Amino acid sequence: MSSAISVRRLTKDFQIGIRGLKLRAVDNLSLEIPRGQVYGLLGPNGCGKSTTLKVVLGLVTATAGEISILGHPSATAEARSRTGFLPEAPYFHKFLSGRELVTYCARLSGVLPSDLTTAVEDALGLAAMTDAADRPIGTYSKGMLQRIGFAQAIVHDPELVILDEPTAGVDPVGSAAIGRMIHAMRDKGKTVVLCSHLLGQVEQVCDRVAIMDRGKLVLEGRVEDVLARRDRHVMTIEAMTPAAREAAEAALAAHGAQVTSVTHPRRSLEDLFRELVTGSRDA
Amino acid sequence: MTPSLQRTLWISRVTFLEAVRQRFFAFLMVLGAAMVLSSVSFRVFDFGHGELKFIADFGFGGMFLFGSVLSVVMTAQLFFSEIDNKTALTLLAKPLSRSEFLIGKFFGAWAVLGVFVVVLSGLLGGVMWAREQELVAMAEQAGKVPVTFSASGMFQFALLQWLRLGVVITIVLTVSALARTFLFTVVVGSLAVVAGQLQWIAQDAVLKPTGSALYGAFLWLSTRLLPNLQQFNIGDALVLGATGVPGEAVVEVALSGLAYMVAYLFIGTLVFRRREI
Amino acid sequence: MRRYYASGLALLLVVGAGAFSEISWRSVRPSIPEIGRKELEPTLGQGVLLGILGGLRTVVADLTWIRSYVLWERKDRPGCEALMRTACALDPHSRYFWENTGYAIGFDMAHWEIRRRGGYAKVPAETQQRLFQQYARRGIDVLDEGIGRSKAPAPLLLCAAQLAETKLKDHALSVRYYQQAAESHDAPWFAARICAVIMWEDGRKAEAYRWFRKYWTERMLPKDDGYPDDLRQLRGMETGLRLKPEERIPRPSWER
């Protein structure tokens, strides 16, 4: 089976000014994104990840290289009909209601009139937007805008969903909701490509990651593999006394091991925040 | 209906809804309507043209002026709002071709201008009809031949104005597809409207023999690249029948307008296909 | 390659649309007499452009006319004439503009020119006469154009006739204008009689009588009271021509 996205030797130059000075945004990038996984594309601002996604979606033409989506050349109607996209900081027509927007996008994506109602309701349900679906988009909060954007991206049941900074500007509760949606998509066998610089979130939801810097790929692999340090171990011990500690260190030393640091475990601030405001929703 | 046509119509529909909700549209519509209605009050400043002609010219002027502003500024705004707000990214990532997007934008904007023309020409026709009734009665009492206006001529004029504004929209969309900023589009679009209004000067010159081959070639090229927008301004002849316009001439002007629209829209889609969003 | 085909097709479409507009322009051009006139050339770019560019021509024409009155008060001949002609050009259907432009140029402007050159005492009589004739000719030219465009041209014809009679001293030309005025659908009652009198005084007595008799019989006699003053004029002509009783107009019942 072909990859969800296959990028081979992609280079993208932008011309600047009348004299046509070149700015290389992506430099000889090759990537294979397997199907059915959540794939994180990481990197600092300006590293070329959004440009890469735009080239993949056919919104920007490549200077060199080949790209295919689900086995089809990118930028073809066939490839795009099987792809959903949520751009960074999406803006939708404020006068439309959420349901109207999703219906509009469904029709543009080729959903048949007979399947329209089911498709729209499913997408709204998955994005947890059913209750607010009839309100004008102008009244939505940032988190709701992202969720309705997610709904419009998946309304035609695409095999590949591309999300560009889906949690930018969204509070942790909203971020967690989007994370759940991503997992739900993966559970349905979809491929999700996530472009973000929020590393904590990527670590939580992604199966594989690629890290880009200055237009080049610097690291690619499974999250566990790239993060794991095989020469270090962490043990969490409860009710440890000074005597117990000394005994444990002596026992480890007898086997040639050495304790290099002992600290108290900490919760992340995000975990604490989510624990405190659990159940609250931005509506 | 083909899927492509359906997608185009959906873009048109949303574009239309977005445009009619704009304050700018409402503002110009109210200004145009006020101009038409106020023509009855201003007719005291008239120097014996015939009241109906004065009222008609006021209405034609309003339709021309505000229609042109609306078609340039609103079209550019509708296009750039999609680009700047990244709505275009969302839409064009779907199986929607750039031609469908641009043509959909065109029909949406043209429909809005259609509403504008229908409302203003309806108002103008109403005002002229009401005043005509009074003038006919006065003329009959005085034993004079009254000046009358033609409702079918008004309909034809409204149709031609709509076509003229359609040509302007296609020009602005073509410029938008190429331009990077809203301001540039509005400036170039406005200049194109003025050039189109004055194209007849070159057209008249082409129809006369010229000594210089180079000058002749320049004139010929000007008439081929710039649209002749002046040919749509035959309101006097159509509505008041001062000189009369043959039916075939009206049909030819209408077909000419359609030919311009197809040509500019085609160029616009070619340019837009290569644009990086 | 496909790109070149598309560009070629685009060029073909634009050129085709341009060629088509040439055909439609030929058909519709006569319906837009307001534009493309020499009178507008010196004033292009002075606000008149707005008038050419579309509607509002009448309004711009009115404003131009008001401005021309200011210059008329100041006896600024070039400015006044340019603006009056511009008003005519912007709204060629307005008889009012043609008529008053003809009067102003034909009757007033020669006087302004004489004053500008030092006054009646200083300017030789021959020069004065030449100026009167020169401006009368220009006034008549303006009126001629207006006559061609007006649906009710009698006032313009009368004005031209007066200029020809009083300034050009060309009675034959004056008679032609009076005749046209008398025969137009909006002819005033006095046009034919004045025409006949001028012809009579110019020595064309038999011709004057024949024409006036025919005119009175066909157009005046059937009206209201039959215009007894015209009949009185005709009787005087019959006497002057010493016509026999059977050659004269049969006596209507109401004639005293």
Side-chain angles (χ1 to χ4, degrees), chain A:
Chain A
M1 193 188 281
S2 58
S3 303
I5 296 176
S6 173
V7 178
R8 292 191 196 93
R9 297 182 172 279
L10 171 67
T11 297
K12 175 62 192 174
D13 294 331
F14 286 108
Q15 290 200 331
I16 301 170
I18 302 168
R19 290 165 63 191
L21 291 174
K22 283 181 183 174
L23 175 74
R24 180 149 292 184
V26 182
D27 190 3
N28 199 27
L29 175 74
S30 292
L31 270 181
E32 291 291 331
I33 300 180
R35 294 192 188 209
Q37 295 197 0
V38 180
Y39 194 95
L41 194 54
L42 311 178
N45 290 333
C47 72
K49 54 188 191 298
S50 287
T51 302
T52 303
L53 290 188
K54 284 184 180 180
V55 176
V56 166
L57 288 163
L59 299 169
V60 170
T61 50
T63 306
E66 289 176 16
I67 303 121
S68 67
I69 297 177
L70 304 163
H72 298 277
S74 72
T76 59
E78 174 62 30
R80 284 196 298 219
S81 65
R82 296 163 70 186
T83 308
F85 175 56
L86 171 66
E88 181 184 0
Y91 175 93
F92 304 111
H93 302 294
K94 288 179 182 172
F95 55 86
L96 293 176
S97 70
R99 193 184 306 280
E100 285 170 337
L101 172 78
V102 177
T103 305
Y104 170 46
C105 290
R107 295 309 306 271
L108 292 182
S109 302
V111 175
L112 297 173
S114 54
D115 303 333
L116 193 63
T117 309
T118 314
V120 170
E121 293 310 318
D122 284 354
L124 288 170
L126 190 63
M129 283 299 291
T130 307
D131 292 343
D134 293 316
R135 276 169 45 187
I137 290 174
T139 65
Y140 284 2
S141 67
K142 178 82 182 164
M144 293 169 85
L145 271 179
Q146 292 293 115
R147 296 213 306 273
I148 203 71
F150 187 82
Q152 66 79 28
I154 60 160
V155 67
H156 55 299
D157 194 25
E159 290 171 52
L160 168 66
V161 183
I162 298 175
L163 309 173
D164 190 2
E165 305 285 2
T167 53
V170 180
D171 65 38
V173 175
S175 280
I178 289 168
R180 283 195 295 275
M181 290 173 213
I182 292 169
H183 282 136
M185 292 303 289
R186 182 178 56 189
D187 294 344
K188 289 169 79 176
K190 312 291 183 189
T191 308
V192 179
V193 176
L194 180 66
C195 180
S196 178
H197 56 257
L198 298 174
L199 306 183
Q201 187 195 35
V202 171
E203 185 184 340
Q204 283 177 14
V205 298
C206 290
D207 301 310
R208 293 182 74 87
V209 289
I211 298 175
M212 290 179 69
D213 187 30
R214 296 179 191 182
K216 292 187 174 181
L217 184 67
V218 293
L219 179 75
E220 202 271 347
R222 288 172 52 79
V223 173
E224 294 83 2
D225 294 343
V226 296
L227 293 182
R229 295 188 64 180
R230 302 285 177 200
D231 59 337
R232 297 282 194 278
H233 294 84
V234 177
M235 295 171 73
T236 306
I237 303 162
E238 283 186 30
M240 187 167 72
T241 59
R245 179 177 171 173
E246 275 180 25
E249 284 181 356
L252 288 167
H255 290 87
Q258 186 185 355
V259 176
T260 54
S261 74
V262 177
T263 59
H264 293 286
R266 290 180 57 162
R267 284 178 293 183
S268 71
L269 189 58
E270 185 176 329
D271 287 342
L272 176 65
F273 182 90
R274 282 167 54 191
E275 195 178 300
L276 291 173
V277 298
T278 295
S280 79
R281 303 196 68 89
D282 50 345

Side-chain angles (χ1 to χ4, degrees), chain A residues 12-14 54 57-62 76-78 80-81 83-85 87-93 95-96 100 103-110 113 116 152-153 155-156, chain B residues 3 6-19 21 78 81-82 84-98 100-101 105 273-277:
Chain A
K12 175 62 192 174
D13 294 331
F14 286 108
K54 284 184 180 180
L57 288 163
L59 299 169
V60 170
T61 50
T76 59
E78 174 62 30
R80 284 196 298 219
S81 65
T83 308
F85 175 56
E88 181 184 0
Y91 175 93
F92 304 111
H93 302 294
F95 55 86
L96 293 176
E100 285 170 337
T103 305
Y104 170 46
C105 290
R107 295 309 306 271
L108 292 182
S109 302
L116 193 63
Q152 66 79 28
V155 67
H156 55 299
Chain B
Q6 282 181 359
R7 288 193 292 269
T8 306
L9 289 178
W10 271 93
I11 295 284
S12 304
R13 186 179 155 183
V14 172
T15 303
F16 176 82
L17 289 173
E18 186 186 4
R21 281 169 164 82
L78 285 172
S81 71
E82 297 270 23
D84 294 343
N85 294 328
K86 298 182 184 172
T87 327
L89 282 181
T90 313
L91 299 178
L92 292 171
K94 299 184 185 307
L96 171 80
S97 73
R98 296 199 178 194
E100 289 163 359
F101 178 81
K105 283 270 147 212
R273 268 185 200 172
R274 297 182 57 76
R275 183 189 178 114
E276 297 193 332
I277 297 170

Side-chain angles (χ1 to χ4, degrees), chain B residues 5-106:
Chain B
L5 188 59
Q6 282 181 359
R7 288 193 292 269
T8 306
L9 289 178
W10 271 93
I11 295 284
S12 304
R13 186 179 155 183
V14 172
T15 303
F16 176 82
L17 289 173
E18 186 186 4
V20 292
R21 281 169 164 82
Q22 285 181 358
R23 283 184 194 160
F24 183 63
F25 170 72
F27 176 67
L28 286 189
M29 179 75 104
V30 169
L31 266 185
M35 193 163 170
V36 169
L37 294 174
S38 65
S39 64
V40 182
S41 314
F42 284 124
R43 66 175 194 265
V44 292
F45 297 109
D46 172 45
F47 287 95
H49 309 279
E51 277 188 29
L52 286 182
K53 169 142 176 56
F54 190 79
I55 294 170
D57 264 20
F58 235 78
F60 297 160
M63 224 182 287
F64 167 79
L65 193 66
F66 298 124
S68 299
V69 172
L70 197 58
S71 52
V72 171
V73 178
M74 186 193 70
T75 307
Q77 203 273 331
L78 285 172
F79 184 89
F80 279 96
S81 71
E82 297 270 23
I83 302 289
D84 294 343
N85 294 328
K86 298 182 184 172
T87 327
L89 282 181
T90 313
L91 299 178
L92 292 171
K94 299 184 185 307
L96 171 80
S97 73
R98 296 199 178 194
S99 318
E100 289 163 359
F101 178 81
L102 204 73
I103 294 169
K105 283 270 147 212
F106 164 72

Side-chain angles (χ1 to χ4, degrees), chain B residues 35 45-49 53-54 57-58 60-62 64-65 194 197-200 203-204 206-207 220 223-225 228 230-231 233-234 236-237 240-246 249 252-253 255-256 259-260 262-264 266-267 270 273-274, chain C residues 2-3 6-7 9-11 13-37 44 49-50 52-59 61-63 65-66 69 91 93-97 151 185:
Chain B
M35 193 163 170
F45 297 109
D46 172 45
F47 287 95
H49 309 279
K53 169 142 176 56
F54 190 79
D57 264 20
F58 235 78
F60 297 160
F64 167 79
L65 193 66
V194 172
Q197 287 294 132
L198 295 175
Q199 188 262 19
W200 62 270
Q203 188 75 75
D204 273 2
V206 163
L207 297 176
W220 186 87
T223 59
R224 291 304 180 265
L225 296 181
N228 183 344
Q230 192 65 247
Q231 62 179 331
N233 294 331
I234 48 176
D236 282 358
L240 297 170
T243 49
V245 188
E252 282 174 12
V253 173
L255 289 175
S256 164
Y260 276 128
V262 170
Y264 290 125
F266 186 76
I267 296 173
L270 280 188
R273 268 185 200 172
R274 297 182 57 76
Chain C
R2 230 179 115 188
R3 196 175 136 199
S7 303
L9 181 60
L11 193 66
L13 282 171
V14 173
V15 171
F20 199 94
S21 90
E22 190 172 307
I23 297 169
S24 57
W25 181 242
R26 279 175 198 268
S27 305
V28 89
R29 183 72 178 87
S31 305
I32 318 176
E34 297 91 327
I35 61 172
R37 296 160 54 82
L44 272 175
L49 194 60
L50 181 66
I52 305 164
L53 289 179
L56 292 176
R57 287 194 187 108
T58 306
V59 182
D62 284 351
L63 295 175
W65 189 258
I66 291 169
Y69 266 178
D91 188 4
H93 306 300
S94 168
R95 195 192 67 201
Y96 177 89
F97 288 159
K151 287 196 284 187
H185 68 88

